Amino acid sequence: LACWAADGPMVGTFHAAAKRQKIIFAIGPILEPVIEKLSERIAVSEAARETLTEHLETDAVVIPNGIYAKRYANGEPQQRWSGNTIGFIGRFEEPRKGLQVLLDALPIIARFAPDVRVLVAGPGDPKEVEESIDPQLRHRFEFLGRISEEEKADFMSSVALYVAPNTGGESFGIILAEALAGGAC
């Protein structure tokens, strides 16, 4: 929840998308008085709106998040990320980001694309993830660590395919809009 007011109506934006959870029941009584004071409620996705109506019995208008599309449209393809590559950006240790889905699919992908490489950018320690990768496929993975916004634009214009196999709990996949703006497939 983010609220703002400039000596006038107070507007709240809601970003969370979650099934009924005990934490919501715990913080609901704290949030309800604040939510009642809001002049307007905005949810960034239908999933966020449904979470709001289900947990806090109020509604919101859906206005999706935006991105600076031009920032990604001017990416320069980089040879190091080009070729038969699959790109992934995110907190790869976080299960809901879905890297495990890509790991599980890689043996099949590698049969049809023997030279495929998977480039993973984002925060986290790759050691544990690397250990879970089939030893015969580990050489196909490259963990890049965090990359800058400029590098992200270059990354999106370089990879052959961008994947975001989120497994749930994402209210709006901003990274998908960024990938599309950057020319990724």
Side-chain angles (χ1 to χ4, degrees):
L1 166 66
C3 297
W4 67 91
D7 295 333
M10 192 162 58
V11 177
T13 60
F14 298 85
H15 301 259
K19 294 179 180 174
R20 290 187 80 70
Q21 297 177 348
K22 291 179 184 177
I23 188 70
I24 299 295
F25 293 112
I27 63 172
I30 298 167
L31 287 178
E32 285 175 354
V34 175
I35 291 171
E36 287 177 17
K37 291 179 183 176
L38 295 175
S39 303
E40 297 295 331
R41 296 163 195 83
I42 299 170
V44 299
S45 68
E46 185 60 33
R49 188 193 73 75
E50 287 175 7
T51 297
L52 185 61
T53 59
E54 182 178 341
H55 294 305
L56 300 171
E57 298 178 1
T58 190
D59 207 350
V61 173
V62 176
I63 302 176
N65 286 317
I67 63 162
Y68 295 107
K70 288 183 182 178
R71 179 184 293 164
Y72 300 98
N74 297 320
E76 294 288 326
Q78 302 292 312
Q79 184 64 37
R80 62 189 166 155
W81 296 328
S82 296
N84 202 5
T85 54
I86 298 173
F88 176 97
I89 298 176
R91 294 178 305 274
F92 56 83
E93 294 174 310
E94 190 175 326
R96 72 185 179 114
K97 296 297 182 182
L99 182 60
Q100 188 62 49
V101 174
L102 178 55
L103 293 174
D104 293 343
L106 191 60
I108 297 167
I109 295 168
R111 273 192 258 146
F112 294 96
D115 62 337
V116 71
R117 293 184 307 133
V118 178
L119 307 172
V120 179
D125 182 4
K127 289 179 182 146
E128 187 175 315
V129 176
E130 287 173 327
E131 290 173 6
S132 71
I133 300 170
D134 180 332
Q136 295 179 0
L137 299 174
R138 279 187 196 143
H139 69 282
R140 296 179 184 276
F141 276 82
E142 183 177 348
F143 289 86
L144 308 174
R146 290 181 186 265
I147 59 176
S148 69
E149 288 299 308
E150 184 177 309
E151 289 173 315
K152 189 191 297 186
D154 294 345
F155 185 84
M156 295 302 190
S157 68
S158 302
V159 295
L161 179 68
Y162 181 78
V163 298
N166 299 326
T167 61
E170 293 286 318
S171 68
F172 179 81
I174 291 175
I175 191 70
L176 292 173
E178 293 169 343
L180 290 170
C185 295

